[in-house]
Amino acid sequence: MESSEKKSSEESLIGRRAFLQFAGLLAISACSEDKRDALLNKGQEFNAWVQSKTFDPARLAPTYPDSELTPESEFRVNGKEGGTPKIDLANWRLEIRGMVKHPGFYTLDQVKSLDKKVENVRHVCVEGWSIKPKWGGTRLSDFLDRVGVDRNAQYLFAECADGYYVPYDMPSVLHPQSLLCYEAYNKPLTADHGAPLRIVMPVKLGYKSAKWITRLTVTNKKPGGYWEDQGYDWFGGI
Amino acid sequence: MTGLVESKPVVPLKKERIHPLVIRLTHWMNFAALIIMVGSGMQIYNASPIFAFEFPSWITLGGWLQGGRQWHFFAMWLFALNGAIWVGYNVFSRHGRYTTLFRPQDIHGVLPMIKYYLRLIRHHPPSGKYNALQKLTYTSLPLLGLMILLSGMSIYWPVQFQWITSVFGNYDTARIWHFLAMAAIVIFFLGHLVMVAIAGWDNLLSMFTGRGAAHHGEHDTTPSQHERANASPH
């Protein structure tokens, strides 16, 4: 009788010790901030790798009939703080540099001279909201081929008139739905939405759809980005 | 004096191994992963609330949107792998097949348990290790886990896994399903806490040590002749 009571209290002690060890482990992992952040960053790199591996260049983002579009009155304006930059549209040029045969400055008409593609796709913000606008523009792949891009280059780097900058992996850039966009809802882009030219990339989160682009660089050196440098996903795929 | 002691015999608690090691480890890993997932999920939710409320920042994890996303997309692997281990163990070890898995014959036991909890009847209906309502809950949980994983994938990868997204309607409705699955898990968790508090310290300890008062319920589902034949070594 006595021994079984003793055994029972021993078991209870072992249980309490295990409980405290578990609590202690949690506390330690919560305290070492550097190690925790390093672990989370490793996790993010791993997820970027998974995303680049699961990315299928032939898989199209879902498209929608006009009846399901977000009404133009609810076409949300979003961007980094700082607002809409003033752009002299008459003298605006798109500069192309890096691993292309014909670097230089291109006019909007030169961009528009290539086949126009119109697409109703979902624009998904990293914050969670989404809208379905109607975009119109030139396929990035068509334009890059026209300037003689080296399709084996790894990255594209876009710079914008408002100081925004954003990097892309080349497979996503060459995706058939990735656009150099100059129209929304069958009308020229408004200043707030990135006139005269923006990028639209339905296979990426919204922060990859850069507005007011002024320069594109094709490179093998991995570029950073405005949000990416602050910790957001470099790949940003969806 | 001796007569007095003998007249109140202490019944020794018969303790047995009731929770296998794998079940205990996955239980606590699941707990840790879900705390992270819910806390960071609330952080992400707050960046663009679906409903007319936000979560207070003290309950959220990560400090800012990308901090929350980092935690969320890290712990999702813990949750998924841990869940896979748990399911695999249950399938291959046959653990819980007769004590925890909800079966058609358990249906008639659900209503009496609800009545008992609502104090409409006084006596605990007969049950084995777990009662019918517990079986129903513990069997629903892995399905809920699967739902929260799939709805999560459908909003993390609405292009690459668009066929999963379409199961939940579209991207926007998948966000709502993901939220509802989270709410269901949190409601279970709160109910679970209440029940653990009522069941007492020894019951809580059994989830660490594995040992606890065993119920040898004649009310547990017994394997059928056919299943016994399959279970025996050939």
Side-chain angles (χ1 to χ4, degrees):
Chain A
M1 202 65 66
E2 203 188 328
S3 72
S4 91
E5 270 181 356
K6 199 179 160 198
K7 197 174 166 232
S8 160
S9 79
E10 265 172 16
E11 271 171 10
S12 171
L13 217 71
I14 292 169
R16 249 163 255 206
R17 201 161 60 205
F19 184 80
L20 287 174
Q21 280 170 348
F22 177 72
L25 209 66
L26 274 183
I28 289 167
S29 61
C31 283
S32 172
E33 212 168 297
D34 288 351
K35 282 197 175 143
R36 191 192 64 196
D37 288 349
L39 187 68
L40 288 177
N41 286 330
K42 279 266 172 272
Q44 184 162 322
E45 279 170 30
F46 175 71
N47 283 329
W49 177 81
V50 171
Q51 285 204 341
S52 67
K53 290 294 162 195
T54 51
F55 176 75
D56 177 353
R59 189 176 292 126
L60 299 180
T63 54
Y64 304 90
D66 285 353
S67 59
E68 288 180 28
L69 288 176
T70 300
E72 205 180 337
S73 57
E74 293 165 29
F75 186 26
R76 184 167 172 171
V77 174
N78 203 62
K80 81 176 182 70
E81 286 147 35
T84 302
K86 288 217 159 34
I87 296 176
D88 175 8
L89 293 180
N91 292 314
W92 178 92
R93 297 287 185 277
L94 178 64
E95 184 185 358
I96 309 291
R97 1 178 259 188
M99 300 164 71
V100 293
K101 284 203 187 91
H102 314 291
F105 293 83
Y106 292 83
T107 64
L108 188 60
D109 283 342
Q110 283 175 303
V111 175
K112 284 182 170 174
S113 70
L114 297 169
D115 284 349
K116 180 169 155 188
K117 174 164 171 61
V118 175
E119 60 191 20
N120 300 348
V121 286
R122 191 182 289 272
H123 177 87
V124 177
C125 180
V126 67
E127 292 175 338
W129 55 268
S130 78
I131 52 172
K132 289 177 284 183
K134 185 183 200 70
W135 305 112
T138 301
R139 278 199 183 94
L140 256 166
S141 60
D142 286 352
F143 181 78
L144 289 174
D145 282 342
R146 177 57 65 94
V147 299
V149 70
D150 176 354
R151 274 181 167 253
N152 294 317
Q154 292 182 62
Y155 310 108
L156 180 74
F157 180 59
E159 292 165 271
C160 309
D162 65 337
Y164 193 71
Y165 53 106
V166 58
Y168 306 93
D169 58 295
M170 199 52 92
S172 300
V173 170
L174 299 177
H175 187 271
Q177 288 171 313
S178 296
L179 301 183
L180 284 175
C181 164
Y182 47 80
E183 272 183 11
Y185 296 92
N186 297 323
K187 282 175 268 184
L189 280 180
T190 60
D192 283 345
H193 284 292
L197 199 63
R198 70 177 298 172
I199 286 172
V200 163
M201 215 173 270
V203 296
K204 298 280 193 198
L205 287 167
Y207 61 85
K208 295 286 188 182
S209 286
K211 302 185 206 177
W212 311 299
I213 55 170
T214 52
R215 181 188 285 157
L216 297 176
T217 307
V218 180
T219 175
N220 274 335
K221 193 167 159 267
K222 192 175 183 180
Y226 179 85
W227 290 116
E228 292 82 348
D229 291 348
Q230 297 177 47
Y232 278 90
D233 309 26
W234 191 96
F235 194 83
I238 58 175
Chain B
M1 288 303 278
T2 47
L4 221 155
V5 172
E6 276 166 9
S7 72
K8 286 165 76 183
V10 180
V11 181
L13 255 176
K14 195 163 179 289
K15 289 200 170 178
E16 290 182 15
R17 201 189 71 138
I18 53 171
H19 301 305
L21 183 65
V22 177
I23 295 294
R24 281 177 278 150
L25 288 177
T26 50
H27 173 270
W28 291 111
M29 178 58 88
N30 196 45
F31 172 66
L34 278 176
I35 291 284
I36 296 174
M37 289 308 276
V38 173
S40 57
M42 288 172 171
Q43 178 79 249
I44 297 169
Y45 170 96
N46 278 356
S48 178
I50 314 173
F51 305 109
F53 64 88
E54 285 181 29
F55 294 101
S57 62
W58 60 264
I59 208 177
T60 65
L61 183 66
W64 64 308
L65 173 57
Q66 185 58 13
R69 285 169 56 87
Q70 280 200 336
W71 277 109
H72 208 68
F73 303 139
F74 178 80
M76 70 179 185
W77 295 108
L78 296 182
F79 179 72
L81 292 174
N82 189 62
I85 292 169
W86 185 88
V87 170
Y89 179 81
N90 276 287
V91 169
F92 291 109
S93 76
R94 311 175 81 81
H95 168 77
R97 184 163 297 192
Y98 308 116
T99 56
T100 320
L101 184 66
F102 186 81
R103 292 171 175 240
Q105 61 261 46
D106 292 312
I107 292 171
H108 66 260
V110 171
L111 202 61
M113 275 313 299
I114 294 175
K115 283 183 178 165
Y116 172 73
Y117 283 134
L118 294 176
R119 302 188 177 274
L120 297 175
I121 54 174
R122 276 185 68 187
H123 295 289
H124 196 295
S127 78
K129 184 179 177 183
Y130 297 118
N131 66 55
L133 207 54
Q134 284 175 307
K135 287 185 184 182
L136 182 61
T137 309
Y138 291 139
T139 305
S140 307
L141 280 174
L143 299 175
L144 198 55
L146 185 66
M147 179 177 152
I148 205 156
L149 265 182
L150 292 177
S151 59
M153 281 177 79
S154 70
I155 53 181
Y156 186 43
W157 282 304
V159 174
Q160 300 308 320
F161 290 98
Q162 52 191 273
W163 53 278
I164 301 179
T165 313
S166 64
V167 170
F168 295 96
N170 57 49
Y171 171 82
D172 288 327
T173 51
R175 280 186 80 201
I176 296 171
W177 281 113
H178 194 58
F179 184 94
L180 294 178
M182 180 279 294
I185 287 175
V186 169
I187 288 167
F188 161 78
F189 175 66
L190 295 177
H192 188 56
L193 283 188
V194 170
M195 299 306 269
V196 166
I198 291 172
W201 182 246
D202 278 355
N203 176 63
L204 175 62
L205 281 188
S206 73
M207 210 57 211
F208 289 96
T209 64
R211 299 172 69 81
H215 295 260
H216 286 291
E218 54 272 30
H219 299 286
D220 280 336
T221 319
T222 47
S224 68
Q225 206 100 42
H226 174 69
E227 282 170 321
R228 258 189 219 139
N230 281 343
S232 61
H234 298 286

